[in-house]
Amino acid sequence: SQTIHQWPATLVQPVGSPLSLECTVEGTSNPNLYWYRQAAGRGLQLLFYSVGIGQISSEVPQNLSASRPQDRQFILSSKKLLLSDSGFYLCAWSVRGYEQYFGPGTRLTVT
Amino acid sequence: GESVGLHLPTLSVQEGDNSIINCAYSNSASDYFIWYKQESGKGPQFIIDIRSNMDKRQGQRVTVLLNKTVKHLSLQIAATQPGDSAVYFCAENRGSSGGSNYKLTFGKGTLLTVNP
């Protein structure tokens, strides 16, 4: 069966510090991968998606970037965090269909 | 702008009652809809989906109804249990405009509270 991992689970970072969040998927090949951000009490905002290694599409202009160095690895990064980058970051995967399956999320607090 | 929206941000029901969570969409080209359940501090969980060529789909204790005429989607939960308490999101795929477009657009969510 497929599983998706995200780490860290929680992170507190100062403004201006770098960020690296990692997502890995097991049990499937060539998945579509997604990064979402969720503000408190709000819906999910799609940040990036990838249909293959090295292929990244950005949905909104922002202070973040994404990379996909391996088939089942998706990384979300920032060189300098802003207060507005705080939120709940979710990684998701899909294959052969529209349904997406989400990881446990990373709670990021920028102070 | 076009969006997936919800009629009610919160819904409170008694244990054992049936729950109905509603969702409106505005994009006629949307061809796929999905409901997710998100418990506090966790990632969303897939509940049930439906394609635009269907009006109804049933799962275990859940039913999704799609009314394309009025662009309305609903999730019905039978015999609601305390464990059903969560935020429920509807999401749509707005169709592909050339090439693969497996993206979902999410609504804001409805908080379902089940009272014992």
Side-chain angles (χ1 to χ4, degrees):
Chain A
S1 64
Q2 301 87 358
T3 56
I4 179 169
H5 304 279
Q6 285 186 247
W7 65 90
T10 60
L11 190 60
V12 180
Q13 292 282 99
V15 168
S17 64
L19 173 74
S20 181
L21 302 181
E22 189 163 343
C23 170
T24 59
V25 181
E26 297 177 355
T28 187
S29 297
N30 196 29
N32 290 344
L33 296 173
Y34 308 82
W35 277 113
Y36 290 87
R37 177 169 58 206
Q38 185 176 32
R42 302 294 298 273
L44 281 71
Q45 179 187 34
L46 179 63
L47 303 175
F48 301 95
Y49 74 97
S50 171
V51 298
I53 296 174
Q55 301 179 61
I56 308 294
S57 296
S58 175
E59 289 296 294
V60 294
Q62 59 205 312
N63 185 42
L64 302 169
S65 62
S67 62
R68 184 170 178 175
Q70 300 180 45
D71 181 45
R72 291 169 288 176
Q73 184 185 31
F74 206 22
I75 296 172
L76 184 69
S77 304
S78 174
K79 292 182 179 178
K80 289 186 178 181
L81 283 168
L82 307 172
L83 285 174
S84 58
D85 291 325
S86 293
F88 193 43
Y89 287 83
L90 289 155
C91 180
W93 68 273
S94 71
V95 62
R96 294 189 301 277
Y98 295 126
E99 66 268 27
Q100 296 177 18
Y101 299 94
F102 287 83
T106 295
R107 175 76 59 192
L108 172 65
T109 303
V110 182
T111 60
Chain B
E2 295 176 320
S3 65
V4 177
L6 295 165
H7 293 311
L8 295 173
T10 61
L11 177 65
S12 183
V13 301
Q14 291 299 122
E15 182 178 359
D17 288 352
N18 296 333
S19 301
I20 300 177
I21 301 171
N22 296 303
C23 185
Y25 66 96
S26 56
N27 190 333
S28 300
S30 294
D31 57 2
Y32 173 83
F33 304 87
I34 188 168
W35 282 99
Y36 285 95
K37 172 187 179 183
Q38 186 177 25
E39 297 176 339
S40 181
K42 298 184 178 180
Q45 291 177 276
F46 171 89
I47 301 174
I48 193 168
D49 59 359
I50 189 168
R51 295 192 178 275
S52 59
N53 60 353
M54 302 172 68
D55 297 322
K56 179 180 179 179
R57 191 163 188 221
Q58 288 184 293
Q60 186 176 13
R61 282 201 307 119
V62 295
T63 301
V64 55
L65 299 177
L66 176 62
N67 186 330
K68 295 180 286 294
T69 302
V70 295
K71 298 187 183 68
H72 184 268
L73 186 72
S74 69
L75 176 70
Q76 300 179 0
I77 305 174
T80 314
Q81 303 168 359
D84 294 326
S85 294
V87 176
Y88 290 80
F89 292 97
C90 63
E92 64 179 325
N93 178 276
R94 294 179 171 176
S96 174
S97 55
S100 175
N101 184 15
Y102 294 109
K103 296 189 291 184
L104 296 174
T105 300
F106 285 79
K108 291 184 179 179
T110 292
L111 173 61
L112 174 66
T113 302
V114 182
N115 302 309

